[in-house]
Amino acid sequence: MDNSVASETPADFLARSEQEMLALNKEVGLAFWLRATYITPDTGELAARASERSLAFDSALIAQAKALKGVPTDPESARAIELILRGSSMPAPNDPALRAELAQLATDLEGLYGAGKACDDNGDNCKTLPELENILAASRDYDEQLEAWQAWRGVSPPMRPMYQRFVELANQGARELGFANLGEQWKGGYDLSTAEFEAETQRLWGQVEPLYEALHCHVRDTLSEHYGEDRVSLEGPIPAHLLGNMWAQSWGNIYDLLEPYPGVAPLDVTSALQAQNYDPVRMTETAEAFFTSLGLPELPQSFWENSMLVAPTDHDAVCHASAWDLDNGNDPRIKQCVEANEEQLATLHHELGHIYYYLMYKDVRPFFKGGAHDGFHEAIGDTIVLSMTPDYLKAKGLVDSVAVSDEAVINQQMKLALDKIAFLPFGKLIDEWRWKVFSGEIGPEQYNSGWWALRASYQGIDPAVERTEDDFDPGAKYHIPGNTPYTRYFLSHVMQFQFHRALCDAAGYQGPLHNCSIYNSEAAGDALGAMLAMGASKPWPEAMEALTGQRRMDADAIIDYFQPLMTWLNEQNAGRQCGW
Ligand code: X8Z
Ligand code: ZN
């Protein structure tokens, strides 16, 4: 970046740096893509070097934008400068040696996660993360699940000293930009003051907490019945390894244990996908077909040529699913280790939600390429998944029959709640841990205990085996070594119900929200596409209002959606001692 152009106008500065940024992004993006899909020391080296240059560019860009802040200019340029000043999720110190160290650490941390495997003491019989996840999804054997849960957490202890240093360096980067620490910088990305933002997330959590507590109470009772009261107490937190998911973040995989009315309108999409031999491409095409049914465009040919849809067997890759906007909207790709099951089908819709955002904002200026805020980006594909109603699944041949009864509705809602409501406290606590780590409130000697304190207080879950500060359980969740902010997913899980309701209105749907599918509605597609096309060009309340008529994030839609289940849960929980 050229620092010498002192007399530029804001508009000239933006136009020039945008061109520089596009060229750099293309190259850096490809280096990162190669690293994520092919983990070796060589790709690590290339990615770290690319990262270094990208971090240097960011720092210089921000320094120049700072000098231009307040210089009178047009509203569009002022917005672009404001977005630049928010910085990235990983600000680097200006010292080149420290910048290089940060770039290397970030590359190595993600590499450790991506290449992580659980092996026996001789280094044999290694299991990958997807293999361990499948055990947790399918096994109902307490000890077998615990073994898989513990095995994956053997991957993260080496990350601990690296993460500690990462925090020091990224914090220094944030401070050099004028933020108190990196957490404060992250909270600054929402067109609100950081205090207002924290209060907003707290307000939303307060709105949905009763839903979570009711679900937790019923799930705990059911698991206690299944595994025995000596293993699942009726008063305390739930053992973290029994919820069908490596991180206990979404619980849909244990629906078989919780089906309220067994046999009523079965919803076993996984069996149908497997019986019909869905392969990764057909799974992806199925997700694409939902978007095109809304009148959105087909995915470009390059998407199919360049995406990674299958876990490689001859080298390591980061299997955690992601979507990439390479070459300025011209080369969108996803990376996902697709298997034929319902969870993966939902994740494909999630990833394509990102891809359709990229495609729809392709023509806005590069500084405006992004979600209205990051929670918007996460919410698009999930909003589509809410339209995968029993009627839709029947039309796709993925369930046999659709029953219209109150019992069928409760089954359907339970299944969704196990994913969506269970996720809420998890989505909230991850960054609460990081905010405290970045501020120093949780020091390195409390990384693990601080993590489990939040897990217990928010989620009401506990590890079944002792954890100590020799462990680094936060590192066993992708977004910690991957340094991806997480509050976005909490917000997304609230907003996607607002978006769903608005799109159902646009489609002219009348009836209970949980029965609405916008499949085949071009009117809904137009409304969605219009919001996506705004990108980050306007403060997010404007994008929110354009689609929903509301200017705030609010849990009214998710509460309304789950009203039938809440009534049912409260009946079930009558006489039970809820809470932990
Ligand atoms: O990380 C993701 C996506 C990629 S942005 C697969 N999600 C969070 C997670 O897996 O922890 C989607 C839901 C929450
Ligand atoms: Zn995502």
Side-chain angles (χ1 to χ4, degrees), residues 247 249 320-323 336 347 350-351 354 378 382 423 426 477-479 484 486 488-489 492-493:
W247 307 276
Q249 69 181 64
H320 188 84
S322 54
Q336 185 177 333
T347 301
H350 176 97
E351 297 309 332
H354 291 305
E378 299 304 336
D382 285 21
F423 182 82
F426 184 81
K477 175 65 195 163
Y478 169 75
H479 302 70
T484 310
Y486 212 84
R488 53 180 65 173
Y489 303 107
S492 150
H493 276 66

Side-chain angles (χ1 to χ4, degrees), residues 183-195:
E184 291 302 302
Q185 184 182 333
W186 284 9
K187 287 179 228 167
Y190 296 89
D191 302 297
L192 294 168
S193 74
T194 57

Side-chain angles (χ1 to χ4, degrees), residues 507-520:
Y509 173 80
Q510 287 176 335
L513 203 48
H514 57 262
N515 269 339
C516 165
S517 175
I518 62 166
Y519 188 55
N520 279 332

Side-chain angles (χ1 to χ4, degrees), residues 9-20:
T9 65
D12 289 345
F13 155 71
L14 290 165
R16 174 180 56 82
S17 38
E18 224 151 38
Q19 290 316 308
E20 294 174 14

Side-chain angles (χ1 to χ4, degrees), residues 9 19 60-61 77 108 188 219-220 287 304 312 356 372 387 416 458 466 479 579:
T9 65
Q19 290 316 308
L61 184 71
S77 300
D108 291 348
V219 167
R220 179 175 63 188
W304 299 103
Y356 277 96
S387 277
L416 194 69
Y458 269 101
E466 197 196 357
H479 302 70

